[in-house]
Amino acid sequence: MIWGRFLSAGLQSCRCRVRCPVQRHYSFLPDDVKSLRAVVNPDVSKIRNIGIMAHIDAGKTTTTERMLYYSGYTRALGDVDDGDTVTDFMAQERERGITIQSAAVTFDWKNHRINLIDTPGHVDFTLEVERALRVLDGAVAVFDASAGVEAQTLTVWRQAEKHHIPCVCFLNKMDKPTANFSIESIKQKLKANPVLLQIPVGSGKSFTGVVDLLTNQKLIWKLKSQRDDGRGFEVKSLGPADDPELLQVVGEARTALIEQLQEAVRRVTLARKGVPVLCGSSLRNKGVQPLLDAITAYLPAPSERHHDLWYKDDLCALAFKVLHDKQRGPLVFLRIYSGTLKSQTAVHNINRNNTERMSRLLVPFADQHVEIPSMPAGNIALTVGLKQTVTGDTIVSSKAAAAAAARRARSDGGTGKKRGEEAGVVLSGVEVPDPVFFCTIEPPTMAKQADLENALTCLQREDPSLKVRVDPDSGQTVLCGMGELHIEIIHDRIRREYGIETHLGPLQVAYRETILQEARTSDTLDRTVGGRRHVVTVELSVRPEVATSAGASCDVAFTDELQGQLSPDMREAVENGVQSSYLQGPLLGYPIQGVSTLIQSVSTEAGTSPAMVSACVSRCMLKAFRLAGGKLLEPLMSLEVTVSEDRLSAVLADLAQRRGTVRDIQSRHDDKVLLATVPLAEMMGYSTVLRTVTSGNATFSLELDTYEAMNPQEQSSLLKRRAGLL
């Protein structure tokens, strides 16, 4: 039977046949809380690095809280509404009832060590999900069973697919009156192949447990009161005495499951050909223990993920998150891919080309950490003392170790890149999305300017999606962020954590610029600096690209003849000049998008520095942009509004005033789900307006969809406003 191999590898408890009810208690007694120092340190095959990801309010943090409780690492069940969960420890998180930054915890379950990261579900904090998934081996996708796949579910699922992360699905909130145990939205919207491992026993208020289709057993939680913690539940085999309708449904589901899979569920999951689906209600303490079993049974160990490294037993780790602690300074999260990380040792940062001493090594547990002497490969660690390291940096034991890895890569046919960045020598970093909003920020007095600059430097290091620049005309400091909430949280953190009462200017949209037509030009720079003459002549052409999607890049290419003439230094100088010119367009200084540049010729006199080449290229690019003509691109947002049918007309009327385009209106139980595309500039303060027109009976989510050319009237109006003519 095909399940024999699967069962022996995963669910050891399923070997015996249970013919009578068995009462199971998955945990220690409430007063016997485990110490973090007692976390098992097993073989790498029993380590699981996982993330919890979902749309906002699907129950990620509540699920995490139950995992910590049932594994014996917390004394009581925390509640998001009460603001006492382990992973939502920021003041802003507890006040708003949402997760703002990812939090790491470590615990064990059935001789497995689980390193878990609880991630945010709000679109403004998508980077937190991105950098967590970059270093994880598996993920649990949590769904609200009454809503199915929602807007941000799609976003995080795409992020998991990009990093080839195997997933387990958990249909949460089966206790809600509108809960619907359906996997159709997973098939249709996520284009995934759901592998049904459980079906619910009842739904809504009558939801009491699940049927395990592999073992043909019922797991029933007979909670006597709201305060029952769900520790104990009853396990018994299905028999003739059970509900005939349930037996029929289970029989059909088991048949479909066995027909669907011709190999072990775990192998299908790791190959990302199927997604195990479980269900439960975390808030009502039902179904979380089987989910923990599924994590250890189906999601991969670090050794089962192929990272193509060349370090063998030498240390290689990736910095994926930085926090600032007032007492300990910067705390850097590292995912260890090879070797062993030890405290009180020096490590080499390949990206910064410097060596730093790591003073302390910690096991992460939200905001409470325990010091340890060392941490082996496959784990996530927290370090103290790395003052220069930022998100995306590769950490190795020494410069010599990096050189040795580079030699191994070259001898095996690796492709050389700049400064020895061979495949697997420098780990790929974290993709940071471009900001969509910006505003000015001012300290209360000029005496506080230095303090504000320090605060912003620290916050930028923590949050790479936060950009800070100085306006060259006004000299004002400008904050650039991912949304209204993102900038609001940054403003609040500056006040609370750094004690500075700052003033924010009006929120503005971060547009993009592109060109109208192809243009070709040349420029010559002849300058004497320190008695040394620099002469360079550049000829190039620019042309618009069709793609204007979010994040569409600008390319630079060289003619075939020029390819072999330029030295590596000069080529890098030309590329730097082109890329710097993309940062500010000729219309309003917004970044350029959707432009391709071809370098026709570069000629220099002896002694001309690369810096002068870059300066000449930038000046030539600006001339080309002006010749090509420019237009503004505005960000369009994908909007999803869930609203009662009687309030739909009010939402549609408001949307029409915002230049919105309705794509679809769907039904979800008694509600309507409105899908639309709206310019970001029209969405300022939308949450307040929506709350007013629907009397608070609506929810919405926004996601950046694409950039589209502004209509001429809107562009003309914006240009006049910026010029002070309106």
Side-chain angles (χ1 to χ4, degrees):
M1 187 175 179
I2 67 169
W3 302 116
R5 183 183 302 171
F6 161 71
L7 292 176
S8 62
L11 301 177
Q12 299 293 334
S13 61
C14 297
R15 286 181 175 174
C16 59
R17 294 181 181 178
V18 182
R19 299 188 179 278
C20 58
V22 175
Q23 194 73 15
R24 288 214 180 135
H25 287 268
Y26 275 81
S27 183
F28 289 64
L29 294 174
D31 293 331
D32 189 13
V33 177
K34 293 182 184 178
S35 165
L36 199 55
R37 297 182 187 278
V39 175
V40 296
N41 195 14
D43 178 77
V44 70
S45 64
K46 291 192 174 183
I47 296 174
R48 299 292 182 269
N49 295 304
I50 66 159
I52 306 287
M53 62 181 194
H55 185 85
I56 191 170
D57 202 31
K60 299 180 302 301
T61 301
T62 301
T63 301
T64 302
E65 191 71 19
R66 269 55 183 174
M67 289 180 176
L68 294 175
Y69 181 73
Y70 295 136
S71 61
Y73 283 87
T74 56
R75 191 176 301 278
L77 289 168
D79 193 293
V80 172
D81 293 335
D82 294 338
D84 59 359
T85 60
V86 171
T87 52
D88 282 353
F89 55 83
M90 287 177 61
Q92 293 87 347
E93 292 176 317
R94 295 189 166 185
E95 289 172 359
R96 298 167 184 265
I98 62 170
T99 301
I100 292 171
Q101 65 175 12
S102 57
V105 290
T106 301
F107 59 96
D108 54 56
W109 181 258
K110 295 186 176 179
N111 298 318
H112 286 72
R113 181 189 181 109
I114 299 178
N115 301 311
L116 180 147
I117 299 181
D118 180 24
T119 66
H122 196 286
V123 67
D124 281 19
F125 311 110
T126 300
L127 173 67
E128 291 290 316
V129 184
E130 174 68 23
R131 60 180 172 183
L133 290 175
R134 169 61 186 84
V135 300
L136 295 174
D137 302 318
V140 175
V142 180
F143 300 78
D144 181 336
S146 66
V149 174
E150 299 177 87
Q152 193 65 5
T153 317
L154 281 165
T155 300
V156 298
W157 193 269
R158 284 196 294 265
Q159 289 174 297
E161 285 188 327
K162 180 176 71 174
H163 294 290
H164 309 291
I165 301 290
C167 297
V168 166
C169 295
F170 182 60
L171 301 186
N172 192 28
K173 303 193 176 185
M174 284 300 302
D175 61 301
K176 291 179 70 172
T178 54
N180 178 23
F181 185 74
S182 172
I183 56 176
E184 287 306 310
S185 65
I186 296 176
K187 289 181 181 177
Q188 295 172 6
K189 295 184 178 181
L190 301 182
K191 308 301 181 188
N193 178 29
V195 180
L196 204 59
L197 300 185
Q198 296 177 345
I199 63 169
V201 178
S203 64
K205 290 184 177 180
S206 64
F207 174 67
T208 56
V210 298
V211 174
D212 186 323
L213 297 177
L214 295 181
T215 62
N216 207 32
Q217 293 176 335
K218 281 196 302 185
L219 284 68
I220 303 298
W221 281 261
K222 294 182 177 180
L223 306 187
K224 298 176 181 177
S225 70
Q226 291 288 341
R227 299 182 64 182
D228 196 319
D229 65 7
R231 235 177 242 279
F233 56 89
E234 185 180 275
V235 180
K236 65 178 182 179
S237 298
L238 287 176
D242 283 293
D243 179 10
E245 186 177 344
L246 176 63
L247 289 173
Q248 181 181 350
V249 172
V250 170
E252 292 173 355
R254 279 200 89 198
T255 301
L257 174 66
I258 294 170
E259 289 176 354
Q260 183 182 19
L261 301 176
Q262 298 303 311
E263 57 183 338
V265 174
R266 189 167 198 274
R267 197 171 292 178
V268 171
T269 306
L270 298 191
R272 301 180 66 251
K273 294 178 181 178
V275 184
V277 178
L278 299 91
C279 61
S281 172
S282 297
L283 184 63
R284 302 303 175 204
N285 310 321
K286 300 174 183 177
V288 176
Q289 295 97 326
L291 176 60
L292 281 165
D293 289 338
I295 288 170
T296 59
Y298 310 136
L299 293 181
S303 55
E304 293 171 302
R305 299 273 289 160
H306 304 294
H307 299 291
D308 298 324
L309 300 177
W310 300 97
Y311 287 89
K312 293 190 175 180
D313 294 329
D314 285 335
L315 172 68
C316 179
L318 180 71
F320 67 93
K321 185 178 176 67
V322 178
L323 292 177
H324 276 272
D325 185 277
K326 290 182 179 179
Q327 281 75 41
R328 293 177 286 198
L331 305 178
V332 179
F333 286 84
L334 297 178
R335 164 65 196 269
I336 309 169
Y337 287 99
S338 65
T340 300
L341 194 63
K342 298 179 181 179
S343 62
Q344 298 294 330
T345 57
V347 292
H348 181 68
N349 185 323
I350 298 182
N351 302 74
R352 310 288 135 205
N353 193 28
N354 66 3
T355 299
E356 296 187 277
R357 186 171 183 80
M358 184 179 59
S359 58
R360 299 171 67 191
L361 184 62
L362 309 170
V363 176
F365 196 80
D367 59 341
Q368 304 295 320
H369 316 297
V370 172
E371 188 169 355
I372 54 172
S374 64
M375 182 82 81
N379 282 293
I380 290 172
L382 189 57
T383 63
V384 180
L386 303 183
K387 300 186 185 304
Q388 304 300 319
T389 302
V390 299
T391 296
D393 285 355
T394 300
I395 303 298
V396 297
S397 55
S398 65
K399 203 168 187 176
R407 286 194 298 272
R408 286 196 279 282
R410 279 195 297 268
S411 65
D412 202 52
T415 304
K417 297 183 182 179
K418 288 184 273 183
R419 286 201 315 184
E421 291 181 12
E422 284 83 359
V425 176
V426 177
L427 301 174
S428 60
V430 177
E431 290 185 17
V432 180
D434 293 326
V436 295
F437 275 120
F438 69 92
C439 67
T440 58
I441 182 169
E442 297 176 351
T445 64
M446 287 308 297
K448 288 283 187 179
Q449 181 65 33
D451 293 338
L452 176 59
E453 290 174 1
N454 175 64
L456 292 174
T457 299
C458 293
L459 289 169
Q460 279 187 97
R461 193 172 173 203
E462 284 191 30
D463 181 1
S465 66
L466 171 67
K467 308 291 185 186
V468 180
R469 60 181 174 85
V470 176
D471 187 282
D473 298 323
S474 65
Q476 290 180 297
T477 302
V478 180
L479 285 185
C480 306
M482 299 304 300
E484 287 184 83
L485 180 60
H486 185 202
I487 290 180
E488 184 182 332
I489 293 295
I490 293 296
H491 185 218
D492 190 48
R493 290 189 64 187
I494 292 172
R495 178 178 63 84
R496 292 187 193 224
E497 297 173 26
Y498 297 91
I500 307 171
E501 294 286 349
T502 55
H503 171 71
L504 294 184
L507 208 57
Q508 301 180 62
V509 172
Y511 295 98
R512 298 286 185 269
E513 297 185 21
T514 192
I515 58 175
L516 295 171
Q517 60 189 7
E518 187 171 347
R520 181 169 179 167
T521 188
S522 61
D523 197 8
T524 299
L525 187 148
D526 186 342
R527 188 175 299 169
T528 301
V529 180
R532 180 179 169 188
R533 191 180 180 203
H534 304 263
V535 181
V536 57
T537 300
V538 175
E539 184 178 359
L540 55 81
S541 62
V542 295
R543 64 183 176 86
E545 296 288 345
V546 176
T548 56
S549 61
S553 60
C554 294
D555 299 321
V556 56
F558 298 83
T559 62
D560 293 339
E561 182 181 359
L562 193 59
Q563 283 275 17
Q565 296 177 0
L566 291 178
S567 66
D569 286 347
M570 283 300 172
R571 181 188 175 95
E572 186 175 355
V574 172
E575 291 175 343
N576 289 341
V578 173
Q579 295 299 333
S580 65
S581 68
Y582 287 152
L583 298 178
Q584 285 194 313
L587 288 177
L588 290 174
Y590 291 114
I592 293 284
Q593 180 170 298
V595 172
S596 179
T597 300
L598 178 64
I599 307 298
Q600 310 282 350
S601 68
V602 178
S603 60
T604 61
E605 290 192 5
T608 301
S609 70
M612 290 300 173
V613 174
S614 294
C616 183
V617 171
S618 294
R619 198 166 74 174
C620 192
M621 289 286 292
L622 183 58
K623 285 176 63 176
F625 288 154
R626 287 172 176 163
L627 287 171
K631 62 180 177 182
L632 292 176
L633 304 174
E634 67 175 338
L636 295 184
M637 309 301 288
S638 178
L639 171 67
E640 180 179 305
V641 182
T642 304
V643 61
S644 58
E645 189 168 4
D646 60 320
R647 303 284 182 172
L648 179 62
S649 58
V651 175
L652 288 170
D654 176 72
L655 196 61
Q657 298 176 4
R658 299 175 184 271
R659 295 190 285 137
T661 302
V662 177
R663 300 197 311 270
D664 194 12
I665 299 177
Q666 303 171 351
S667 295
R668 182 183 294 165
H669 309 299
D670 296 330
D671 293 332
K672 294 294 182 181
V673 180
L674 172 64
L675 305 177
T677 303
V678 195
L680 178 61
E682 304 292 341
M683 296 303 291
M684 303 285 191
Y686 183 67
S687 58
T688 302
V689 174
L690 183 66
R691 194 180 305 117
T692 301
V693 300
T694 64
S695 300
N697 295 317
T699 60
F700 79 99
S701 63
L702 274 178
E703 181 184 7
L704 181 60
D705 183 18
T706 186
Y707 281 87
E708 191 173 274
M710 295 183 72
N711 65 56
Q713 294 82 7
E714 291 289 337
Q715 177 169 317
S716 175
S717 175
L718 180 61
L719 291 172
K720 287 179 179 177
R721 285 200 302 273
R722 295 296 168 83
L725 301 177
L726 288 180

